[in-house]
Amino acid sequence: MEFAISDLLNSLRHPPLIFHLAYSDTKARYKRSMLGPLWLTLGAAIGVVGLGLVWSQLLNQRRDQLIPSLTVGLLLWQFIAGCVTESTSVFVRQAQIIRNLRLPFFIHPIQLIARQTITLAHNLLVLIVVLMVYPQPVSWATLLCLPGLAIVLANLLWLSILLGIIGARFRDVEQIVQSLMPIIFFLTPVIYKAGHAGVNQAIIWMNPFTYFIALVREPIFGTIPDGFVYIVAIMMALIGWLVTLAMFNRHAPRLAFWV
Amino acid sequence: MASLIFDNVTVAYPIYNAHSQSLRNQLVRFGTGGRIGGGAGTIVTVTALDNVSFNLRSGDAVGLIGHNGAGKSTLLRTMAGIYSACAGRIRRTGSVATVFELGAGMDPELSGYENIMRMLLLMGLSKARAKANLPAIEDFSELGDFLALPVRTYSSGMTMRLMFAVATSIRPEILLIDEMFGTGDASFQQKAETRMHDWIASSDIFVFASHDLGLVKRLCNRLFRLEHGSIYEDDINLL
């Protein structure tokens, strides 16, 4: 474990670097477009409006109920799916840095999460507009979305590191994950809610992403998530980190040869 | 005091072809007990460094020569701590800066200025110190207004100027440079050589891989010859 832990601690000494990289990567991506990073916001807005109109008809639900919950769900899903799909190539994309500079490996997954968080922050604009159109009651329970988000981030970080290592060694993993994500989207209560009739509850709660969405979305709408949601998510984080650190410790010294 | 000690270091790395890097192949191999596809699962291993030992102290300027594929770049990367040894011990004290691949750590879409910041932060500087280094880099690279343009518009000589200026603007105790002077024009090569002379005079460790024997003789005081992953120290005065 020694190697993994010293790498992690070293990474935590580099926050300015990580945020600069995340920021300059986001900037570079939209450098030559007129709207710049606002394209992120616009893309999310189009998704919310389109899916909101279609699904409120299909599910026969009132728009003022469906659209706010769909917006939160969709923004969270884009964030989570963005982290997961990009994590398979998180080390491979940074091959040039890994093969030329001696830096802790953990900065790359942390940078990925930071970059996706920047995107999420841009997308919050959509949520604000939606909440102005369809106001929601706010209570103290709403604040619980923040610890919920922290648990989600802790889980996403180990998941990105693990997928990053596997993805560097086996290049098929990127394609596998990319083709699985759309299915997982429908198995995750993004459009509908976990308690809906006609949804197989066993499958829904087998899906780890259900917990991630529930931890953040339910408090926003004033419901406190069940205790077991917290327990499962925290257990996932603990076991996930243990497995990831052990795996990292074993394989990361060879990472420079793999990328 | 910087030092770099290699004690019987062996570096072997796997070459994954498309076959063994695919998960399907590993799964099929698992499912059939490893006998399918006539050695499709075997991974070719290249032993790039074989039992290498040496001892570098402050003041050593080492020229690294050897034909293509002799292991020069692998040795430099192992010295930097990027490649891990599979046997032997490496002891390194002192901060390290590297100039290996052209454009490493740069984002071609970002401007020269933004890339300078990016590279300095990658080299471990704080934002404030990176900003303080900016004028010196601007000056040394002589790129002028080009620094405001995206790096993708640069020629390889200009990229090299920028990289060299950034890498030598901080004063690491160990500087590792892979052959890279081919792309600079004559005046810049002259300038870079002068800067490296200053460097060596300030008694740090400097390792330079090159095919330019004249340059090696002018800059270095020790000479390592790499042959098939083994290292031989030659007398530099005989070069």
Side-chain angles (χ1 to χ4, degrees), chain A residues 27 99-100 102 169 253 258, chain B residues 21 77 81 84 98 100 114:
Chain A
K27 205 164 143 189
R99 281 190 293 113
N100 283 284
R102 183 172 159 76
R169 175 67 183 80
W258 290 356
Chain B
Q21 205 154 14
R77 286 205 163 94
S84 54
T98 57
F100 292 165
E114 286 165 321

Side-chain angles (χ1 to χ4, degrees), chain A residues 48 66-76 126-127 130 190:
Chain A
V48 165
L66 181 82
I67 290 187
S69 129
L70 176 74
T71 308
V72 177
L74 212 56
L75 297 187
L76 278 174
V126 179
L127 179 63
V130 167
V190 175

Side-chain angles (χ1 to χ4, degrees), chain A residues 167-194:
Chain A
R169 175 67 183 80
F170 302 104
R171 298 297 163 89
D172 302 54
V173 174
E174 188 177 355
Q175 316 299 329
I176 295 173
V177 170
Q178 265 174 21
S179 43
L180 280 181
M181 285 320 269
I183 303 175
I184 300 177
F185 173 73
F186 285 106
L187 293 179
T188 311
V190 175
I191 296 168
Y192 51 91
K193 279 191 176 155

Side-chain angles (χ1 to χ4, degrees), chain B residues 92-115:
Chain B
R92 183 187 321 103
T93 43
S95 56
V96 182
T98 57
V99 184
F100 292 165
E101 269 172 70
L102 205 58
M106 289 190 184
D107 190 318
E109 280 298 328
L110 296 174
S111 73
Y113 285 118
E114 286 165 321
N115 269 305

